[in-house]
Amino acid sequence: MIRRPPRSTPKPSSAASDVYKRQGLGNVSIGSTYPEVSRDEMLSKLNKLKQPFLKNFNPDLNVRIDRIKRIQTLVEENIDAFHDALRSDFGTRHEQLSLMADTMPVINNAKDALKNIKRWVKPDKRKPNFPLGLLGAKAYVQFQPYGVVGVISPWNFPLTLSIAPLIEIFAAGNNAMMKLSEFVPATSDLTEKLINKYFNENEVVVINGGPQTSQSFAGLPFDHLLFTGSTNVAKKVASEAATNLVPMTLELGGKSPVIVGPNAKMKKSVDKIMMGKLLNSGQICISPDYVFVPEGKTEEFVQHAQEHVAENYPTIKNNPDYTSIIHLNHFERLRDLISDAKSKGATIVELNPAQEDFSQQEHHKIVPTLILNPTDDMKVMKEEIFGPLMPIKTYKNFEDTVSFINQNPKALALYYFGDDKEEMNNVLDNTSSGQAVMNDVLFQFSMHDLPFGGVGPSGMGAYHGHDGFKNFSHKRSVLKGQNILAVSYTHLTLPTKA
């Protein structure tokens, strides 16, 4: 990981954020910062992106490589500007987090694609059925661009989930049209400006607009659509896309469970779990959502969690290492989850080492909060949390954890901590999730050679690396018959019944 020393004082926020603060809204961003873009205007831009495919449906390898290099250069040459924009949009977000989670993933993904693209684009040879193979027939899969891929990206990692997918989209030979999040206006404005600088309107187009623009965007006749966001919004996006039968990749979320095995090393497990939970203040689709601990070990988990927070976040209120909640509505939603759990009997443990008062604060920060003894009727156990709240459930028998997970919607990620191979295989063989991670959290996202995606309510399709190239490619079957002999079906002998 690249490390840079933190600035001693944060840079001034953008003009847009200053307006919000003068209005008493903190760092909230609302759709009114952008005018709505009409469907006709977006359709005109989309048609221009489709024009190149009428002349050349298979862009040259050098064209694809050049585009990927420009993505890499775009981020490398403007890395500080991106970090400043991200800090402005979130209120507080440390440069190291933005480097680790937004800018460097784009650069690293580009390097990986440039290293492997010549291998990716080669046809995948297949074996013709007998007797066609003997007669000289050839069969293979041709990886062909879809055409124009639409990208609807969220606010939590605005570069990783908008610019990074362009790498595999371009590697597959597609053009792209992007709808960026209105909740991070400084980052979205900068992204649009730089895309327009490094690319032309026949390659990629950025759309910035409000909620109505997003709805109209989803209904455009793309050749493929990538949406990253919540399951509820995905249903609306899929409904709009269905009017044109647009194939989709949905990267959603859900409640990603963590199982701490009976013999797991508790301190090491808690340190990793809490690191994953508090990165970006839990505003991550694969963040640990709730945790199972063996009966009788809750106090030990709580103690190690307190120690972890005290060591890594000795103060929180004005600590730039601790990310703000993105906007007021989300902040209030998280507070409501805590209130609901408390009113229904849960024990609330705030991890606030310096005992700071958060009743008045410039930014929307919520301290790490453990919710003990949660029940299934609590909102915190029904909704994806997307914040620094951690419900802790206990179990007597390990099988109870697997049973509970299987009775609920399939998650984007599932985490297990422990060294018991039988338990590990039980989790792997008897549950379903987009990803399964043993003794770690989050880092599956950074693996170039692992597909990233969900299953069922947590998504469909997967990308990253070679799997991303294939995801954004039409896999066309090609059969080249021999031209020496003529074979008539009337001479073929059907199998006789026994």
Side-chain angles (χ1 to χ4, degrees), residues 355-368:
Q355 296 301 304
E356 295 169 285
D357 180 6
F358 285 83
S359 59
Q360 297 289 329
Q361 55 173 313
E362 182 181 4
H363 306 296
H364 304 310
K365 287 191 175 182
I366 291 180
V367 299

Side-chain angles (χ1 to χ4, degrees), residues 404-474:
F404 184 89
I405 289 168
N406 288 337
Q407 290 170 13
N408 286 277
K410 295 177 181 178
L412 182 57
L414 190 160
Y415 302 104
Y416 164 82
F417 285 84
D419 297 319
D420 189 304
K421 291 184 178 180
E422 185 176 341
E423 291 173 358
M424 194 177 296
N425 289 334
N426 190 354
V427 172
L428 291 174
D429 294 342
N430 296 301
T431 62
S432 177
S433 60
Q435 305 120 51
V437 181
M438 308 290 111
N439 293 307
D440 218 329
V441 295
L442 304 186
F443 286 102
Q444 72 273 23
F445 185 85
S446 65
M447 300 294 292
H448 300 304
D449 209 28
L450 281 178
F452 181 82
V455 57
S458 60
M460 65 173 74
Y463 68 108
H464 281 192
H466 194 190
D467 291 282
F469 168 83
K470 291 188 284 187
N471 182 69
F472 296 119
S473 297
H474 167 53

Side-chain angles (χ1 to χ4, degrees), residues 83-101:
H83 293 168
D84 290 343
L86 288 162
R87 185 187 302 108
S88 170
D89 285 326
F90 277 87
T92 57
R93 196 187 201 234
H94 200 279
E95 182 182 26
Q96 183 67 36
L97 172 59
S98 295
L99 183 73
M100 178 184 71

Side-chain angles (χ1 to χ4, degrees), residues 287-490:
S287 175
D289 192 276
Y290 63 96
V291 61
F292 287 103
V293 300
E295 202 170 64
K297 294 193 175 183
T298 301
E299 289 186 10
E300 185 180 358
F301 186 101
V302 171
Q303 178 185 341
H304 289 310
Q306 290 171 330
E307 293 169 355
H308 176 91
V309 174
E311 180 180 350
N312 291 276
Y313 305 99
T315 62
I316 293 174
K317 190 172 184 178
N318 296 309
N319 186 345
D321 289 0
Y322 194 84
T323 306
S324 304
I325 303 303
I326 186 66
H327 57 74
L328 181 62
N329 289 347
H330 189 34
F331 175 79
E332 294 293 355
R333 186 186 72 83
L334 292 170
R335 291 178 61 180
D336 179 63
L337 293 182
I338 297 172
S339 298
D340 176 76
K342 186 175 182 179
S343 69
K344 293 175 180 175
T347 300
I348 308 301
V349 180
E350 290 188 348
L351 307 181
N352 185 2
Q355 296 301 304
E356 295 169 285
D357 180 6
F358 285 83
S359 59
Q360 297 289 329
Q361 55 173 313
E362 182 181 4
H363 306 296
H364 304 310
K365 287 191 175 182
I366 291 180
V367 299
T369 303
L370 305 180
I371 300 175
L372 312 184
N373 306 312
T375 55
D376 294 350
D377 63 329
M378 295 177 184
K379 292 180 181 179
V380 77
M381 291 304 297
K382 293 180 178 180
E383 302 176 11
E384 181 180 6
I385 295 172
F386 225 67
L389 319 181
M390 178 68 87
I392 300 177
K393 294 179 67 68
T394 60
Y395 65 90
K396 290 183 179 179
N397 301 313
F398 189 84
E399 287 290 343
D400 294 339
T401 66
V402 173
S403 176
F404 184 89
I405 289 168
N406 288 337
Q407 290 170 13
N408 286 277
K410 295 177 181 178
L412 182 57
L414 190 160
Y415 302 104
Y416 164 82
F417 285 84
D419 297 319
D420 189 304
K421 291 184 178 180
E422 185 176 341
E423 291 173 358
M424 194 177 296
N425 289 334
N426 190 354
V427 172
L428 291 174
D429 294 342
N430 296 301
T431 62
S432 177
S433 60
Q435 305 120 51
V437 181
M438 308 290 111
N439 293 307
D440 218 329
V441 295
L442 304 186
F443 286 102
Q444 72 273 23
F445 185 85
S446 65
M447 300 294 292
H448 300 304
D449 209 28
L450 281 178
F452 181 82
V455 57
S458 60
M460 65 173 74
Y463 68 108
H464 281 192
H466 194 190
D467 291 282
F469 168 83
K470 291 188 284 187
N471 182 69
F472 296 119
S473 297
H474 167 53
K475 291 165 278 294
R476 180 159 75 167
S477 300
V478 178
L479 175 65
K480 291 185 177 180
Q482 55 77 32
N483 58 5
I484 301 174
L485 299 175
V487 180
S488 172
Y489 73 90
T490 59

Side-chain angles (χ1 to χ4, degrees), residues 121-128 138-143 478:
V121 300
K122 290 181 179 179
D124 184 6
K125 293 181 181 180
R126 302 297 172 90
K127 187 176 181 179
K138 304 292 183 183
Y140 60 90
V141 173
Q142 177 190 25
F143 296 105
V478 178

Side-chain angles (χ1 to χ4, degrees), residues 184-196:
V184 282
T187 307
S188 294
D189 285 344
L190 179 61
T191 301
E192 180 179 16
K193 176 184 176 182
L194 293 175
I195 287 289
N196 291 341

